[in-house]
Amino acid sequence: MVKRARLKKLINWTIQGPIVTRLLVHFLSYNVATVFLLLVVYGIRGSLAAVSDQPQASSPATFWQQAAPVVICMFVMMPFMIWDLMKLTNRIAGPLYRFESLLKEYGKTGTLPVAVLRDDDLLTDYQQHFNE
């Protein structure tokens, strides 16, 4: 296998797009659910404090002060997750794009060149079958 850096980060949106979009939706859904559960716990604690006559600050700012680390962590982690997902899907989309270009070349010239993939690419089993 060849060790070359791939210059394009988005090889094929039809392959990479749905994967990145779906995982981004899962990540955001998880964080929204976490903030919602924190809000529920905060509301229950406030209700219990009201029933037991214990003083508690019930302003919304207090909740956001408590939830701020979760929200900040979400926004800090999001770019890293997107970058890592793009790298992962690139390891799949790159070989598929390479196989597609080799098949197009085969259609034009009638000769099928050997498929060579990068070191970290996935689908190496397809490469072996393709080259047989």
Side-chain angles (χ1 to χ4, degrees):
M1 288 190 253
V2 178
K3 182 72 170 177
R4 294 181 311 228
R6 183 171 283 127
L7 299 177
K8 286 176 71 175
K9 298 303 177 202
L10 183 63
I11 301 296
N12 189 340
W13 179 253
T14 58
I15 296 171
Q16 290 176 281
I19 297 170
V20 171
T21 303
R22 178 168 293 182
L23 288 173
L24 185 62
V25 166
H26 288 288
F27 177 71
L28 290 175
S29 300
Y30 167 78
N31 284 300
V32 166
T34 302
V35 171
F36 176 74
L37 287 174
L38 283 173
L39 185 61
V40 167
V41 168
Y42 183 76
I44 290 171
R45 285 177 52 200
S47 299
L48 291 175
V51 170
S52 64
D53 294 329
Q54 293 178 355
Q56 179 179 1
S58 60
S59 67
T62 305
F63 167 74
W64 288 112
Q65 289 171 353
Q66 291 176 354
V70 174
V71 174
I72 291 169
C73 184
M74 177 182 73
F75 285 115
V76 168
M77 290 301 296
M78 194 179 327
F80 296 110
M81 288 186 65
I82 292 171
W83 177 254
D84 189 52
L85 288 172
M86 292 300 292
K87 284 178 24 181
L88 175 65
T89 58
N90 205 347
R91 293 174 58 195
I92 298 169
L96 289 176
Y97 180 77
R98 180 70 181 144
F99 294 141
E100 179 184 1
S101 63
L102 290 174
L103 289 174
K104 284 181 184 177
E105 185 177 334
Y106 175 70
K108 290 178 185 175
T109 64
T111 60
L112 187 60
V114 174
V116 179
L117 300 179
R118 291 177 173 84
D119 286 336
D120 293 333
D121 281 345
L122 300 175
L123 304 178
T124 54
D125 51 341
Y126 290 111
Q127 175 195 11
Q128 292 170 353
H129 292 298
F130 191 86
N131 289 335
E132 289 178 353

Coordinates of all heavy atoms in Angstrom, one line a residue, residues 12-89:
N12 N -16.6 12.2 -1.3 CA -17.9 12.0 -2.0 C -19.0 12.2 -0.9 O -19.2 11.5 0.0 CB -18.0 10.5 -2.4 CG -19.2 10.2 -3.3 OD1 -20.1 11.0 -3.3 ND2 -19.1 9.1 -4.0
W13 N -19.7 13.3 -1.2 CA -20.8 13.7 -0.2 C -21.9 12.7 -0.1 O -22.5 12.5 1.0 CB -21.3 15.1 -0.6 CG -22.4 15.5 0.4 CD1 -23.7 15.5 0.1 CD2 -22.2 15.9 1.7 NE1 -24.4 16.0 1.3 CE2 -23.5 16.2 2.3 CE3 -21.1 16.1 2.5 CZ2 -23.7 16.6 3.6 CZ3 -21.3 16.5 3.8 CH2 -22.6 16.8 4.3
T14 N -22.2 11.9 -1.2 CA -23.2 11.0 -1.1 C -22.9 9.8 -0.1 O -23.8 9.2 0.4 CB -23.6 10.4 -2.5 OG1 -22.4 9.8 -3.0 CG2 -24.1 11.5 -3.4
I15 N -21.6 9.6 0.1 CA -21.2 8.5 1.0 C -20.9 9.1 2.4 O -21.4 8.7 3.4 CB -19.9 7.8 0.5 CG1 -20.2 7.1 -0.8 CG2 -19.4 6.9 1.6 CD1 -18.9 6.5 -1.4
Q16 N -20.1 10.2 2.4 CA -19.7 10.8 3.7 C -20.8 11.6 4.3 O -20.9 11.7 5.6 CB -18.5 11.7 3.5 CG -17.2 10.9 3.2 CD -16.1 11.8 2.9 OE1 -16.0 12.3 1.8 NE2 -15.2 11.9 3.9
G17 N -21.6 12.3 3.5 CA -22.6 13.2 4.1 C -23.6 12.6 5.0 O -23.8 13.1 6.1
P18 N -24.3 11.5 4.6 CA -25.2 10.9 5.5 C -24.6 10.4 6.8 O -25.2 10.5 7.9 CB -25.8 9.8 4.7 CG -25.6 10.2 3.3 CD -24.3 10.9 3.3
I19 N -23.4 9.9 6.7 CA -22.8 9.4 8.0 C -22.5 10.5 8.9 O -22.8 10.4 10.1 CB -21.5 8.6 7.6 CG1 -21.8 7.4 6.7 CG2 -20.7 8.2 8.9 CD1 -20.6 6.7 6.2
V20 N -21.8 11.5 8.4 CA -21.5 12.7 9.3 C -22.7 13.4 9.8 O -22.8 13.7 11.0 CB -20.6 13.7 8.5 CG1 -20.4 14.9 9.3 CG2 -19.2 13.0 8.2
T21 N -23.7 13.5 8.9 CA -25.0 14.2 9.4 C -25.7 13.4 10.4 O -26.1 13.9 11.5 CB -25.9 14.4 8.2 OG1 -25.2 15.1 7.2 CG2 -27.2 15.1 8.6
R22 N -25.8 12.1 10.2 CA -26.5 11.2 11.2 C -25.7 11.3 12.6 O -26.4 11.4 13.6 CB -26.6 9.8 10.7 CG -27.3 8.9 11.7 CD -27.7 7.6 11.2 NE -28.7 7.9 10.2 CZ -29.3 6.9 9.5 NH1 -29.0 5.6 9.8 NH2 -30.3 7.1 8.7
L23 N -24.4 11.1 12.6 CA -23.7 11.1 13.8 C -23.7 12.5 14.5 O -23.8 12.6 15.7 CB -22.3 10.6 13.6 CG -22.2 9.1 13.3 CD1 -20.8 8.8 12.9 CD2 -22.7 8.3 14.5
L24 N -23.8 13.5 13.7 CA -23.9 14.9 14.3 C -25.3 15.1 14.9 O -25.4 15.6 16.0 CB -23.7 15.9 13.2 CG -23.7 17.4 13.6 CD1 -22.5 17.6 14.6 CD2 -23.6 18.3 12.5
V25 N -26.3 14.5 14.3 CA -27.7 14.6 14.9 C -27.7 13.8 16.2 O -28.3 14.2 17.2 CB -28.7 14.1 13.9 CG1 -30.0 13.8 14.5 CG2 -28.9 15.1 12.7
H26 N -27.1 12.6 16.2 CA -27.0 11.8 17.4 C -26.3 12.6 18.5 O -26.7 12.5 19.7 CB -26.3 10.5 17.2 CG -27.1 9.5 16.4 ND1 -28.2 8.9 16.9 CD2 -27.0 9.1 15.1 CE1 -28.7 8.1 16.0 NE2 -28.0 8.2 14.9
F27 N -25.2 13.2 18.2 CA -24.4 13.9 19.2 C -25.2 15.1 19.7 O -25.3 15.3 20.9 CB -23.1 14.5 18.5 CG -22.2 15.3 19.4 CD1 -21.6 14.8 20.4 CD2 -22.1 16.7 19.2 CE1 -20.8 15.5 21.3 CE2 -21.3 17.5 20.0 CZ -20.6 16.9 21.0
L28 N -25.9 15.8 18.9 CA -26.7 17.0 19.3 C -27.9 16.5 20.1 O -28.2 17.1 21.1 CB -27.1 17.8 18.1 CG -26.0 18.6 17.5 CD1 -26.5 19.3 16.2 CD2 -25.4 19.6 18.4
S29 N -28.5 15.4 19.7 CA -29.6 14.8 20.4 C -29.2 14.4 21.8 O -30.0 14.6 22.8 CB -30.2 13.7 19.7 OG -30.7 14.0 18.4
Y30 N -28.1 13.8 21.9 CA -27.6 13.3 23.2 C -27.4 14.5 24.1 O -27.8 14.5 25.3 CB -26.3 12.6 23.0 CG -25.6 12.3 24.3 CD1 -26.0 11.4 25.2 CD2 -24.5 13.2 24.7 CE1 -25.3 11.2 26.4 CE2 -23.8 13.0 25.9 CZ -24.2 12.0 26.7 OH -23.6 11.8 27.9
N31 N -26.8 15.6 23.6 CA -26.5 16.8 24.4 C -27.8 17.5 24.8 O -27.9 18.0 25.9 CB -25.5 17.7 23.8 CG -24.1 17.1 23.8 OD1 -23.6 16.9 24.9 ND2 -23.5 16.8 22.7
V32 N -28.7 17.6 23.9 CA -30.0 18.2 24.2 C -30.7 17.4 25.3 O -31.3 18.0 26.3 CB -30.9 18.4 23.0 CG1 -32.3 18.8 23.3 CG2 -30.3 19.5 22.1
A33 N -30.7 16.1 25.2 CA -31.3 15.2 26.2 C -30.6 15.4 27.5 O -31.3 15.4 28.6 CB -31.3 13.8 25.7
T34 N -29.3 15.5 27.5 CA -28.6 15.7 28.8 C -28.9 17.0 29.4 O -29.2 17.1 30.7 CB -27.0 15.7 28.5 OG1 -26.7 14.4 27.9 CG2 -26.2 15.9 29.8
V35 N -29.0 18.1 28.7 CA -29.4 19.4 29.2 C -30.8 19.3 29.7 O -31.2 19.9 30.8 CB -29.2 20.5 28.2 CG1 -29.8 21.8 28.7 CG2 -27.7 20.7 27.9
F36 N -31.7 18.7 29.0 CA -33.1 18.5 29.4 C -33.2 17.8 30.7 O -33.9 18.1 31.6 CB -33.9 17.8 28.3 CG -35.4 17.5 28.7 CD1 -36.3 18.6 28.8 CD2 -35.8 16.2 29.1 CE1 -37.6 18.3 29.2 CE2 -37.0 16.0 29.5 CZ -38.0 17.0 29.5
L37 N -32.4 16.7 30.9 CA -32.4 15.9 32.1 C -31.9 16.7 33.3 O -32.4 16.6 34.4 CB -31.7 14.6 32.0 CG -32.4 13.5 31.1 CD1 -31.5 12.3 30.9 CD2 -33.7 13.1 31.8
L38 N -30.9 17.5 33.0 CA -30.4 18.5 34.0 C -31.4 19.4 34.4 O -31.6 19.7 35.6 CB -29.1 19.2 33.5 CG -27.8 18.5 33.4 CD1 -26.8 19.3 32.7 CD2 -27.4 18.1 34.8
L39 N -32.2 19.9 33.5 CA -33.3 20.8 33.8 C -34.4 20.1 34.6 O -34.9 20.7 35.6 CB -33.9 21.4 32.5 CG -35.0 22.4 32.6 CD1 -34.4 23.7 33.4 CD2 -35.5 22.8 31.3
V40 N -34.7 18.9 34.3 CA -35.7 18.1 35.1 C -35.2 17.9 36.5 O -35.9 18.1 37.5 CB -36.0 16.8 34.4 CG1 -36.7 15.8 35.3 CG2 -36.7 17.0 33.1
V41 N -33.9 17.5 36.6 CA -33.3 17.3 38.0 C -33.3 18.6 38.7 O -33.7 18.7 39.9 CB -31.9 16.7 37.9 CG1 -31.2 16.8 39.2 CG2 -32.0 15.3 37.4
Y42 N -33.0 19.7 38.1 CA -33.0 21.0 38.7 C -34.5 21.4 39.2 O -34.7 21.9 40.3 CB -32.5 22.1 37.8 CG -32.4 23.5 38.3 CD1 -31.4 23.8 39.2 CD2 -33.3 24.4 38.0 CE1 -31.3 25.0 39.8 CE2 -33.2 25.7 38.6 CZ -32.2 26.0 39.4 OH -32.1 27.2 40.0
G43 N -35.4 21.1 38.3 CA -36.8 21.3 38.7 C -37.3 20.5 39.9 O -38.0 21.0 40.8
I44 N -36.9 19.2 39.9 CA -37.3 18.4 41.0 C -36.6 18.8 42.3 O -37.3 18.9 43.3 CB -36.9 16.9 40.7 CG1 -37.8 16.4 39.6 CG2 -37.0 16.0 41.9 CD1 -37.4 15.0 39.0
R45 N -35.4 19.2 42.2 CA -34.7 19.7 43.4 C -35.4 21.0 43.9 O -35.5 21.2 45.1 CB -33.2 20.0 43.1 CG -32.4 18.7 43.0 CD -30.9 19.0 42.6 NE -30.3 20.0 43.5 CZ -29.2 20.7 43.2 NH1 -28.6 20.4 42.1 NH2 -28.7 21.5 44.0
G46 N -35.8 21.9 43.0 CA -36.5 23.1 43.4 C -37.8 22.8 44.0 O -38.2 23.4 45.0
S47 N -38.5 21.8 43.4 CA -39.8 21.4 44.0 C -39.7 20.8 45.4 O -40.4 21.1 46.3 CB -40.5 20.4 43.1 OG -40.8 21.0 41.9
L48 N -38.7 20.0 45.6 CA -38.4 19.4 46.9 C -38.0 20.4 47.9 O -38.4 20.4 49.1 CB -37.4 18.3 46.8 CG -37.8 17.0 46.1 CD1 -36.6 16.1 45.9 CD2 -38.9 16.3 46.8
A49 N -37.2 21.4 47.4 CA -36.8 22.5 48.3 C -38.0 23.3 48.7 O -38.1 23.8 49.9 CB -35.8 23.3 47.7
A50 N -39.0 23.5 47.8 CA -40.2 24.3 48.1 C -41.1 23.6 49.1 O -41.6 24.2 50.0 CB -40.9 24.6 46.9
V51 N -41.1 22.3 49.0 CA -42.0 21.5 49.9 C -41.3 21.4 51.3 O -42.0 21.5 52.3 CB -42.2 20.0 49.3 CG1 -42.8 19.1 50.4 CG2 -43.0 20.1 48.1
S52 N -40.0 21.3 51.3 CA -39.4 21.2 52.6 C -39.0 22.6 53.2 O -38.3 22.6 54.3 CB -38.1 20.3 52.5 OG -37.2 21.0 51.7
D53 N -39.4 23.6 52.6 CA -39.2 25.0 53.0 C -37.7 25.3 53.2 O -37.3 26.1 54.1 CB -39.9 25.3 54.4 CG -41.4 25.2 54.2 OD1 -41.9 25.6 53.1 OD2 -42.1 24.9 55.2
Q54 N -36.9 24.7 52.3 CA -35.4 25.1 52.3 C -35.2 26.2 51.3 O -35.8 26.1 50.2 CB -34.6 23.9 52.0 CG -34.6 22.8 53.0 CD -33.8 21.6 52.6 OE1 -33.3 21.6 51.5 NE2 -33.6 20.6 53.5
P55 N -34.5 27.2 51.6 CA -34.3 28.2 50.6 C -33.4 27.7 49.4 O -32.4 27.0 49.7 CB -33.6 29.4 51.4 CG -32.9 28.6 52.5 CD -33.8 27.5 52.8
Q56 N -33.8 28.1 48.2 CA -33.0 27.7 47.1 C -33.2 28.8 46.0 O -34.3 29.2 45.8 CB -33.4 26.4 46.5 CG -32.6 26.0 45.3 CD -33.0 24.6 44.7 OE1 -33.9 24.0 45.3 NE2 -32.3 24.2 43.7
A57 N -32.1 29.2 45.4 CA -32.2 30.2 44.3 C -32.9 29.5 43.1 O -32.5 28.5 42.6 CB -30.9 30.7 43.9
S58 N -34.0 30.0 42.7 CA -34.8 29.4 41.6 C -34.8 30.2 40.3 O -35.6 30.0 39.4 CB -36.3 29.2 42.1 OG -36.8 30.5 42.3
S59 N -33.8 31.0 40.2 CA -33.7 31.8 38.9 C -33.2 30.9 37.8 O -32.4 30.0 38.1 CB -32.8 33.0 39.1 OG -31.5 32.6 39.3
P60 N -33.6 31.1 36.5 CA -33.0 30.3 35.4 C -31.5 30.5 35.3 O -30.9 29.5 34.8 CB -33.8 30.9 34.2 CG -34.9 31.6 34.8 CD -34.6 32.1 36.1
A61 N -31.0 31.6 35.7 CA -29.5 31.8 35.5 C -28.8 30.7 36.4 O -27.7 30.3 36.0 CB -29.1 33.2 36.0
T62 N -29.3 30.3 37.5 CA -28.7 29.4 38.3 C -28.6 28.0 37.6 O -27.6 27.3 37.7 CB -29.4 29.2 39.7 OG1 -29.5 30.5 40.3 CG2 -28.7 28.2 40.6
F63 N -29.6 27.6 36.9 CA -29.6 26.4 36.1 C -28.6 26.5 35.1 O -27.8 25.5 34.9 CB -31.0 26.1 35.5 CG -30.9 25.0 34.5 CD1 -30.7 23.7 34.8 CD2 -30.9 25.3 33.1 CE1 -30.6 22.7 33.9 CE2 -30.8 24.3 32.2 CZ -30.7 23.0 32.5
W64 N -28.5 27.6 34.3 CA -27.5 27.7 33.2 C -26.1 27.8 33.8 O -25.2 27.3 33.1 CB -27.9 28.9 32.4 CG -29.1 28.6 31.5 CD1 -30.3 29.2 31.6 CD2 -29.2 27.6 30.5 NE1 -31.2 28.6 30.7 CE2 -30.5 27.6 30.0 CE3 -28.3 26.7 29.9 CZ2 -31.0 26.8 29.0 CZ3 -28.7 25.8 28.9 CH2 -30.1 25.9 28.5
Q65 N -26.0 28.3 35.0 CA -24.6 28.2 35.6 C -24.2 26.8 35.9 O -23.1 26.4 35.7 CB -24.6 29.1 36.9 CG -24.7 30.5 36.6 CD -24.8 31.3 37.9 OE1 -25.0 30.8 39.0 NE2 -24.8 32.6 37.8
Q66 N -25.2 26.0 36.3 CA -24.9 24.6 36.6 C -24.7 23.8 35.3 O -23.9 22.8 35.2 CB -26.0 23.9 37.4 CG -26.1 24.5 38.8 CD -27.2 23.9 39.6 OE1 -28.1 23.2 39.0 NE2 -27.3 24.2 40.8
A67 N -25.4 24.1 34.2 CA -25.4 23.4 33.0 C -24.3 23.9 32.0 O -24.0 23.2 31.0 CB -26.7 23.5 32.2
A68 N -23.7 25.0 32.4 CA -22.7 25.6 31.5 C -21.5 24.6 31.2 O -21.1 24.6 30.0 CB -22.1 26.9 32.1
P69 N -21.0 23.9 32.1 CA -19.9 22.9 31.7 C -20.3 21.9 30.6 O -19.5 21.6 29.7 CB -19.5 22.2 33.0 CG -20.0 23.2 34.1 CD -21.2 23.9 33.5
V70 N -21.5 21.4 30.7 CA -22.0 20.5 29.7 C -22.1 21.2 28.3 O -21.7 20.6 27.3 CB -23.4 19.9 30.1 CG1 -23.9 19.0 29.0 CG2 -23.2 19.1 31.4
V71 N -22.7 22.3 28.3 CA -22.9 23.1 27.0 C -21.6 23.5 26.5 O -21.3 23.3 25.2 CB -23.8 24.3 27.3 CG1 -23.9 25.1 26.0 CG2 -25.2 23.8 27.7
I72 N -20.6 23.9 27.3 CA -19.3 24.3 26.8 C -18.6 23.1 26.2 O -18.0 23.2 25.2 CB -18.5 25.0 27.9 CG1 -19.1 26.4 28.2 CG2 -17.0 25.1 27.5 CD1 -18.5 27.0 29.5
C73 N -18.7 22.0 27.0 CA -18.0 20.8 26.5 C -18.6 20.3 25.2 O -17.9 19.9 24.3 CB -18.2 19.7 27.5 SG -17.3 18.2 27.1
M74 N -19.9 20.5 25.0 CA -20.5 20.1 23.7 C -20.0 20.9 22.6 O -19.6 20.3 21.5 CB -22.0 20.3 23.8 CG -22.8 20.0 22.6 SD -24.5 20.3 22.7 CE -24.6 22.1 22.7
F75 N -19.9 22.2 22.8 CA -19.4 23.1 21.7 C -17.9 22.9 21.4 O -17.4 23.1 20.3 CB -19.7 24.5 21.9 CG -21.2 24.8 21.7 CD1 -22.0 25.2 22.7 CD2 -21.7 24.7 20.4 CE1 -23.4 25.5 22.5 CE2 -23.1 24.9 20.2 CZ -23.9 25.3 21.2
V76 N -17.1 22.6 22.5 CA -15.7 22.3 22.3 C -15.4 21.0 21.6 O -14.6 20.9 20.7 CB -15.0 22.4 23.7 CG1 -13.6 21.8 23.6 CG2 -15.0 23.8 24.2
M77 N -16.2 20.0 21.9 CA -16.0 18.7 21.3 C -16.6 18.5 19.9 O -16.1 17.7 19.2 CB -16.7 17.6 22.2 CG -15.9 17.4 23.5 SD -14.2 16.9 23.3 CE -14.4 15.3 22.5
M78 N -17.5 19.3 19.6 CA -18.2 19.2 18.3 C -17.2 19.3 17.1 O -17.2 18.4 16.2 CB -19.3 20.2 18.1 CG -20.2 19.8 16.9 SD -21.6 20.9 16.7 CE -22.1 21.4 18.3
P79 N -16.4 20.3 17.0 CA -15.4 20.3 15.9 C -14.5 19.1 15.8 O -14.2 18.6 14.7 CB -14.6 21.6 16.1 CG -15.4 22.4 17.0 CD -16.2 21.5 17.9
F80 N -14.0 18.6 16.9 CA -13.2 17.5 16.9 C -13.9 16.2 16.4 O -13.3 15.4 15.7 CB -12.6 17.2 18.3 CG -11.7 18.3 18.8 CD1 -12.1 19.2 19.8 CD2 -10.5 18.5 18.2 CE1 -11.3 20.2 20.3 CE2 -9.6 19.6 18.6 CZ -10.0 20.4 19.7
M81 N -15.2 16.1 16.9 CA -15.9 14.9 16.4 C -16.2 15.0 14.9 O -16.1 14.0 14.2 CB -17.3 14.9 17.2 CG -17.1 14.4 18.6 SD -18.7 14.2 19.4 CE -19.3 12.8 18.5
I82 N -16.5 16.2 14.4 CA -16.8 16.3 13.0 C -15.5 16.0 12.2 O -15.5 15.3 11.2 CB -17.3 17.8 12.7 CG1 -18.7 17.9 13.2 CG2 -17.3 18.0 11.2 CD1 -19.2 19.3 13.2
W83 N -14.4 16.5 12.7 CA -13.1 16.3 12.0 C -12.7 14.8 12.0 O -12.4 14.3 10.9 CB -12.0 17.1 12.7 CG -10.6 16.8 12.1 CD1 -9.6 16.1 12.6 CD2 -10.1 17.3 10.8 NE1 -8.5 16.1 11.8 CE2 -8.8 16.8 10.7 CE3 -10.7 18.1 9.8 CZ2 -8.0 17.1 9.6 CZ3 -9.9 18.3 8.7 CH2 -8.6 17.8 8.6
D84 N -12.9 14.1 13.1 CA -12.6 12.7 13.2 C -13.6 11.9 12.3 O -13.2 11.0 11.6 CB -12.7 12.2 14.6 CG -12.2 10.8 14.8 OD1 -11.1 10.5 14.3 OD2 -13.0 10.0 15.3
L85 N -14.9 12.3 12.2 CA -15.8 11.6 11.4 C -15.5 11.8 9.9 O -15.6 10.9 9.1 CB -17.2 12.1 11.6 CG -17.8 11.7 13.0 CD1 -19.1 12.4 13.2 CD2 -18.0 10.2 13.0
M86 N -15.0 13.0 9.6 CA -14.6 13.2 8.2 C -13.4 12.4 7.8 O -13.3 11.8 6.7 CB -14.3 14.7 7.9 CG -15.5 15.6 8.0 SD -16.7 15.3 6.8 CE -15.9 15.7 5.3
K87 N -12.4 12.2 8.7 CA -11.3 11.4 8.5 C -11.7 9.9 8.3 O -11.2 9.2 7.5 CB -10.3 11.5 9.6 CG -9.5 12.8 9.6 CD -8.5 13.0 10.7 CE -8.0 11.8 11.4 NZ -7.0 12.1 12.5
L88 N -12.6 9.5 9.2 CA -13.1 8.1 9.1 C -13.8 7.8 7.8 O -13.6 6.8 7.2 CB -14.0 7.8 10.3 CG -14.6 6.4 10.3 CD1 -13.6 5.3 10.4 CD2 -15.6 6.2 11.4
T89 N -14.8 8.7 7.5 CA -15.5 8.4 6.2 C -14.6 8.6 5.0 O -14.9 8.0 4.0 CB -16.7 9.4 6.1 OG1 -16.3 10.7 6.2 CG2 -17.7 9.1 7.3

